[in-house]
Amino acid sequence: MLYKCEDELGLKKINAQIKSEIKNLNAIYNQTPLSCKSPISMWKFFNEITGNKTLSFFTRKITSSRPVKPRGNPESLPSSIGDPLSCPDYFGLKNLVSIPELFHARVHFGHRSVLRNDYMIPYIYGCRQGVDIIDLDQTHSLLFDALNFAAHVAYRQGIILFMYSNKQMLPLVERTAETVGEYSYCRKWEGGVFTNSSNVFHDSVRLPDLVIFLSTCNSISRPHAAVRDAAKMLIPTVGVVDTNSDPRLITYPVPGNDDSPTSVRLFCALFSEAVARGKRSASRDNLLKQQWLRQSESSKNSELIKSATS
């Protein structure tokens, strides 16, 4: 028993009330079941969560008076118009590239092991003749995530900026961005373009919604300054990270060779196709929505005419 009392009937009533209050507390707050054998800890628990209120307060059933608003009306749109966020591969990018294609494009070749960045060790398969070999299984999985994110940004009419610092592939990167109607910056990066844009451009400008780095290094061991600036401004980034790169500030890192022309061409083609698919899906869904709205309006008008003539 919890307490000793001369009146046994009163003692039973007190213990029964305490047990019922303990059950109510356990049911309401989902705490670790309290024990009737330790009333001191129970009262301490009461005081902490109620501020010395009476036990009868907990016998009430707690319900929320605020109505729950449903997120959208799924029946207001036709089933032919899909929701990109509800489908893991809405744009069909899963089979856009295979591991053998990555291998033939020399994406697996890294830098020499003496230039290895310690944060790239989880993405390295091994070392052959002093050269790090990138794990293409991880590259294939992470590349899909990066392509899917780029397609979602393009689907929502976001601004995408392609960046590359190697002058050899400069025309290719600029042509890739121009093909999909986006932007590119392949020259020397000036500090403050992102972090101090209002003073640099002397006007309010819109920063990009996504920056795609086809290389995250300016040189063998020097990281691209725009990676740091984008992280400061909370701009999402997709970056091809070689074995000498630091992937920590990249939102969607893609382990791969960022120096070989064949690998850079492959990445340009893949991101160009992902952005194009996102824009095509957006225009298709908008067209379907407009058609459905016109059909719904015409059906409502016909119903009004029938009701008026009847």
Side-chain angles (χ1 to χ4, degrees):
M1 292 185 180
L2 294 175
Y3 301 104
K4 292 182 179 181
C5 182
E6 296 179 357
D7 186 5
E8 293 184 0
L9 182 60
L11 178 63
K12 291 181 179 179
K13 289 182 179 180
I14 292 174
N15 290 335
Q17 183 180 2
I18 291 175
K19 289 180 180 179
S20 64
E21 298 296 343
I22 290 174
K23 290 181 180 180
N24 291 332
L25 278 173
N26 291 330
I28 294 173
Y29 290 94
N30 293 324
Q31 298 287 338
T32 303
L34 298 172
S35 175
C36 295
K37 297 181 181 179
S38 57
I40 298 177
S41 62
M42 181 187 68
W43 293 118
K44 187 183 295 184
F45 177 72
F46 285 165
N47 294 333
E48 289 178 357
I49 64 175
T50 65
N52 296 322
K53 292 184 179 180
T54 58
L55 292 178
S56 60
F57 170 79
F58 295 99
T59 59
R60 303 174 187 174
K61 186 177 181 181
I62 298 178
T63 57
S64 177
S65 60
R66 182 181 299 176
V68 179
K69 296 181 179 180
R71 297 181 60 184
N73 188 3
E75 297 179 358
S76 62
L77 292 176
S79 59
S80 59
I81 302 176
D83 183 11
L85 296 178
S86 63
C87 181
D89 190 16
Y90 185 77
F91 306 101
L93 301 171
K94 192 69 175 179
N95 299 322
L96 188 61
V97 65
S98 62
I99 294 180
E101 291 175 340
L102 295 175
F103 178 81
H104 292 304
R106 299 183 178 182
V107 177
H108 60 289
F109 280 120
H111 285 273
R112 298 187 64 84
S113 58
V114 294
L115 301 174
R116 180 190 303 167
N117 191 301
D118 292 338
Y119 293 101
M120 287 297 297
I121 292 177
Y123 307 111
I124 297 176
Y125 180 79
C127 182
R128 182 177 177 84
Q129 296 181 355
V131 177
D132 288 331
I133 305 299
I134 298 173
D135 188 359
L136 290 183
D137 288 330
Q138 297 190 57
T139 301
H140 186 262
S141 176
L142 295 173
L143 180 59
F144 166 71
D145 295 337
L147 294 173
N148 193 34
F149 181 74
H152 275 280
V153 174
Y155 180 87
R156 299 182 181 276
Q157 299 179 355
I159 296 177
I160 299 176
L161 178 64
F162 289 82
M163 299 195 69
Y164 194 62
S165 57
N166 192 345
K167 296 181 180 180
Q168 181 182 0
M169 306 301 296
L170 185 148
L172 174 64
V173 176
E174 290 184 344
R175 188 166 58 251
T176 300
E178 185 180 0
T179 302
V180 294
E182 297 298 339
Y183 303 88
S184 63
Y185 192 95
C186 302
R187 271 70 177 178
K188 182 181 178 181
W189 181 256
E190 299 293 339
V193 175
F194 287 163
T195 56
N196 195 22
S197 59
S198 59
N199 293 330
V200 171
F201 299 102
H202 304 288
D203 197 2
S204 59
V205 296
R206 177 182 171 183
L207 296 178
D209 299 290
L210 172 64
V211 180
I212 299 177
F213 290 94
L214 297 171
S215 176
T216 58
C217 292
N218 283 331
S219 60
I220 294 179
S221 59
R222 185 179 179 183
H224 203 298
V227 175
R228 181 191 64 245
D229 293 347
K232 287 181 179 179
M233 301 304 295
L234 302 180
I235 300 175
T237 54
V238 168
V240 179
V241 288
D242 212 327
T243 56
N244 64 328
S245 303
D246 188 353
R248 289 178 295 173
L249 295 180
I250 302 296
T251 312
Y252 290 91
V254 180
N257 186 358
D258 61 356
D259 300 316
S260 174
T262 55
S263 63
V264 175
R265 289 193 192 97
L266 178 62
F267 285 127
C268 286
L270 292 175
F271 282 108
S272 175
E273 180 63 22
V275 173
R277 289 191 183 187
K279 292 186 175 183
R280 287 198 299 266
S281 299
S283 60
R284 179 199 62 200
D285 290 350
N286 290 331
L287 181 61
L288 291 175
K289 289 178 183 178
Q290 292 176 3
Q291 292 177 354
W292 178 80
L293 289 174
R294 286 196 295 267
Q295 291 176 0
S296 61
E297 289 178 359
S298 61
S299 61
K300 288 181 181 179
N301 293 333
S302 61
E303 290 178 358
L304 290 175
I305 293 173
K306 288 181 181 179
S307 61
T309 55
S310 60

